[in-house]
Amino acid sequence: QVRERLKKQVAEMKEKFPGFRPGLAILQVGNRDDSNIYINMKLKAAAEIGISANHIKLPNTATEVEVLKCIASLNGDPAVHGFIVQLPLDSDKPINTEKITNAVAPEKDVDGLSSINAGKLSRGDLGDCFIPCTPKGCMELIRQTGIQVAGKRAVVVGRSKIVGAPMHDLLLWNHATVTTCHSKTSTLAEEVAKADILVVAAGKAEMVKGEWIKPGAIVIDCGINHVPDSTKASGKRVVGDVAYNTAKEKASYITPVPGGVGPMTVAMLMQSTVESAQRFLERFQPGKWNIRYNQLTLKMPVPSDIEISRSCIPKPIDQVAEEVGLLPDEVELYGQTKAKVHLSVLRRLQDQPDGKYVVVTGITPTPLGEGKSTTTAGLVQALGAHLHQNVFACVRQPSQGPTFGIKGGAAGGGYSQVIPMEEFNLHLTGDIHAITAANNLVAAAVDARIYHELTQSDQALYNRLVPAVSGVRKFSDIQIRRLQKLGINKTDPAALTKEEINVFVRLDIDPATITWQRVLDTNDRFLRRITIGQSPTEKGFSRTAQFDITVASEIMAVLALADGLDDMRTRLGRMVVGSSKRGEPVTADDLGVTGALAVLMKDAVKPNLMQTLEGTPVFVHAGPFANIAHGNSSVLADKIALKLVGKNGFVVTEAGFGADIGMEKFFNIKCRYSGLRPHVVVLVATVRALKMHGGGPAVTAGVPLPKEYTEENLQLLAKGCSNLSKQIQNARIFGVPVVVAVNAFKTDTKAELALVVQLAKEAGAFDAVECTHWAEGGKGAVALAQAVQRASEAPSNFKFLYNVELPVTDKIRLIAQQIYGASDIELFPEAQEKVTLYTKQGFGNLPICMAKTHLSLSHDPEQKGAPTGFILPIRDVRASVGAGFLYPLVGTVS
């Protein structure tokens, strides 16, 4: 009956949570025959019920430290819900059994042997502990007799920690009057005779005589003893602690030995495992959050960003992780306010539905920016802290270049920020430094390879690349891949001919074609053009090179677009660093550095967890530039967040620059690779930017705004809304509803804000909302959040702008004409040569990532509004093959 009930419960659990299965681990030390029999019974019962049971067997040479290490691993395994240590421990090393049983996590201790579970049982906390399986089975057998336990006199014979003591507590808290007897009890027969319920676990064959038993008593015999019996082949038979033949004449119910308590004990182990799995699901049910939000204390005038950030005490990041359903072993803490999240969470939640996907973008901005990051933070604070929706923000990590420059950080601003601001804007968890190290390793490998090929013979190079270790040469996996690429199907280094050795060892890189530069996460203008190789040890090999900023590295774009560690490694391997003198692409795999790059990036691939001022969760991960790269945070962060928020939750991510750049790349590149489909576009607009597009004077960072921007001017504003209309149109081309967030400044008038809302709706926006989240936090974005909720329920017929199989020139033309408003494109000779080269090399079917000024829809930053009829000049085309796109350089962008 119990097993059938458990089987049904497990089936219901699996149906409700696809991919989930209760897990039981049995740890055995040694190889005792009796332990093997008991374990096989448990494994068989688990399989019958549908529990995933894992038998871990350590040798009898295992030390206490090794056993504890194994226990720690099982404690942290989210697939293990019940965990028992099979006793006795059969080891020839001294092991403290009490220490071992107490090492099992109480929430997984389905044997109920830990001091914590024993303590809770003794206090009567029966709903918050695990009860040892034998007493629990005894209690089930007693209940099945139909007797009313409350008020009855119960006697327990035996006081062991496994049966007697917990049986006493269990009967007591079920309201029986309980007496515990043992081998030293002088009046044992008299006490037994008083028992309405008798439980015997003394470990002594037929110790309790039948004549002692009260007529009609319930007798539960837990004993397993062997006594001599010449009639048996083994020469012995199994008996209990009660003289069965005489006792059954007086008892109304008595359990046989064997076949009584034993099977029920196993059934109770299964029941406790199922209960543990149910508690696990209750605590970590996907999409079921129990989150505490921070209350803001708003001040007027609004203090500086750093003052606000430091005035708020963030929640411990492990608390944030637990609130959103992350398991302890899925989180790596970096101090109190930031953590990395393991990619294993995607496997755990792979069968869970995704939440709703929202991208925040903007109109063509002024050099001051229009508040996309602030709006992203304000929107998630509103959805979470005020509308009580599960919501995650996914944002880019800022570069130290802009952070220490005029632009500043990227944590948002006012009362809509990611905190702590300093941690966010500076080193965070070191991802950018890892990219710097990986990028410069590739750069060093390129120049070192050229140098060695210039100064050594084929055989000397071969000896360096495939050295003999203990007299044996062996190709590495990456070298086997290079041989296969060259059409050489050999695995024995001694089998290569001289000609094959020549093509294997010589990449023959043409220095003039090298596109891979060194990087540094600092704006250092004096490194923009340098000469390398001037040391005498380089024997005259020098060339002109340059430093880029780290976030411009292709490795950053690879990190942002990778779908996992393996995918990242593959993308790293196919990064092209230049061409050979034969015109063939040379990759990181050809250089043999792919494995080293993956090792350097193994931690960087994990998203970083932080929080907003109001305590909503944030993933900060990757920060590719939005011109020469796609300008979006990582695919992995979005995917994990979409699983964590649950079906009705929201993930809000941000695309860099205006909608013509960051949003277009979000759709055509990021969504193409991730397979994710957006539900809503939030388009951020400001009155000052729209006035600039209407013909207002230039806006310069660090210079006070002209009066046109601080005084009401509806005519200038209405004219500038042409840019807003075009960007709304751009979003709708992709079939996604658009909500316009009008980010209000204190100098904006009510009439100006109302005009923008009106014109946005007329241009096709699903809704347009005035927002004051900078000054009021989430409260100031509640109307925006409600509009996003409504828009997420509207039909979204998402589609890409182009088919990647189109010729490169056609894809560029489609973007120029449909997104920018150009009449046509003009490819400079160098650009045309590159299109021909990349098509020949097999890269023509990659998506397009336009490197264009963000200050205009056109290539000319001085052209504001929504210009049309212009010819878009394509000066050059470059390839980020590892990341997976071609990037045309438009106009003067470098």
Side-chain angles (χ1 to χ4, degrees), residues 57 114 218 226 274 326 341 437 525 594 623 659 662 692 705 735 774-775 829:
K57 201 168 187 176
S114 69
I218 305 294
H226 294 89
V274 172
L326 288 165
V341 173
R525 64 188 310 120
T594 307
M692 178 191 71
L705 288 170
W774 178 80

Side-chain angles (χ1 to χ4, degrees), residues 179-191:
T179 301
T180 296
C181 300
H182 43 78
S183 59
K184 304 296 184 195
T185 303
S186 59
T187 56
L188 182 60
E190 294 175 21
E191 296 298 335

Side-chain angles (χ1 to χ4, degrees), residues 262-389:
M264 185 58 80
T265 297
V266 174
M268 290 301 101
L269 174 63
M270 301 302 121
Q271 180 169 310
S272 291
T273 302
V274 172
E275 288 171 0
S276 182
Q278 289 170 334
R279 291 177 191 176
F280 174 87
L281 286 174
E282 182 67 25
R283 187 178 176 195
F284 296 105
Q285 184 176 331
K288 184 179 180 180
W289 291 8
N290 182 21
I291 191 164
R292 176 180 64 79
Y293 298 107
N294 296 333
Q295 288 288 115
L296 294 180
T297 303
L298 304 177
K299 293 182 180 180
M300 290 298 291
V302 176
S304 68
D305 292 347
I306 189 68
E307 188 179 341
I308 293 172
S309 176
R310 288 176 175 173
S311 71
C312 178
I313 300 174
K315 295 180 289 187
I317 201 64
D318 56 341
Q319 178 185 328
V320 176
E322 183 177 351
E323 287 175 344
V324 302
L326 288 165
L327 306 181
D329 71 311
E330 293 169 342
V331 181
E332 286 179 23
L333 301 182
Y334 280 64
Q336 293 292 311
T337 57
K338 53 191 177 180
K340 279 199 165 290
V341 173
H342 287 222
L343 305 188
S344 59
V345 67
L346 279 174
R347 290 195 299 274
R348 176 170 67 87
L349 300 177
Q350 61 185 349
D351 295 313
Q352 299 304 318
D354 288 344
K356 295 168 182 177
Y357 199 24
V358 180
V359 60
V360 176
T361 185
I363 62 170
T364 305
T366 68
L368 305 178
E370 309 317 308
K372 292 192 306 297
S373 298
T374 305
T375 301
T376 299
L379 174 57
V380 297
Q381 289 178 177
L383 282 165
H386 298 268
L387 298 182
H388 305 291
Q389 301 294 308

Side-chain angles (χ1 to χ4, degrees), residues 711-871:
E711 297 176 0
E712 185 173 290
N713 192 326
L714 298 177
Q715 185 177 357
L716 195 65
L717 180 61
K719 185 179 177 184
C721 280
S722 61
N723 185 272
L724 174 63
S725 298
K726 174 57 179 165
Q727 298 289 31
I728 292 171
Q729 177 192 332
N730 284 342
R732 295 187 68 196
I733 285 173
F734 294 92
V736 183
V738 184
V739 174
V740 173
V742 186
N743 189 14
F745 288 72
K746 61 183 179 182
T747 54
D748 301 338
T749 68
K750 288 186 178 181
E752 288 175 330
L753 294 169
L755 179 61
V756 177
V757 168
Q758 175 194 331
L759 295 178
K761 291 178 180 178
E762 290 175 2
F766 177 89
D767 203 350
V769 181
E770 176 190 340
C771 307
T772 55
H773 46 273
W774 178 80
E776 297 184 292
K779 176 185 173 185
V782 168
L784 173 63
Q786 291 168 333
V788 167
Q789 282 183 297
R790 293 193 301 272
S792 71
E793 302 297 332
S796 177
N797 304 305
F798 176 71
K799 57 183 180 295
F800 298 119
L801 180 65
Y802 54 80
N803 186 326
V804 289
E805 301 299 326
L806 288 173
V808 172
T809 305
D810 289 357
K811 289 181 283 192
I812 296 172
R813 184 176 288 110
L814 273 170
I815 296 171
Q817 291 178 335
Q818 295 202 35
I819 302 298
Y820 305 157
S823 59
D824 206 350
I825 61 173
E826 178 190 3
L827 264 66
F828 287 21
E830 187 176 357
Q832 186 59 63
E833 287 174 14
K834 291 287 186 64
V835 169
T836 303
L837 174 66
Y838 293 143
T839 303
K840 178 184 175 184
Q841 292 178 336
F843 308 140
N845 61 350
L846 293 176
I848 301 300
C849 182
M850 302 287 276
K852 179 185 76 71
T853 178
H854 63 291
L855 297 174
S856 172
L857 281 162
S858 75
H859 59 284
D860 181 359
E862 301 304 318
Q863 281 195 294
K864 304 301 182 183
T868 57
F870 56 92
I871 304 294

Side-chain angles (χ1 to χ4, degrees), residues 521-542:
D521 195 37
T522 303
N523 285 346
D524 189 343
R525 64 188 310 120
F526 294 97
L527 293 177
R528 291 175 181 174
R529 185 60 59 97
I530 60 172
T531 302
I532 61 172
Q534 293 188 322
S535 168
T537 56
E538 288 11 286
K539 300 180 181 179
F541 169 62
S542 65

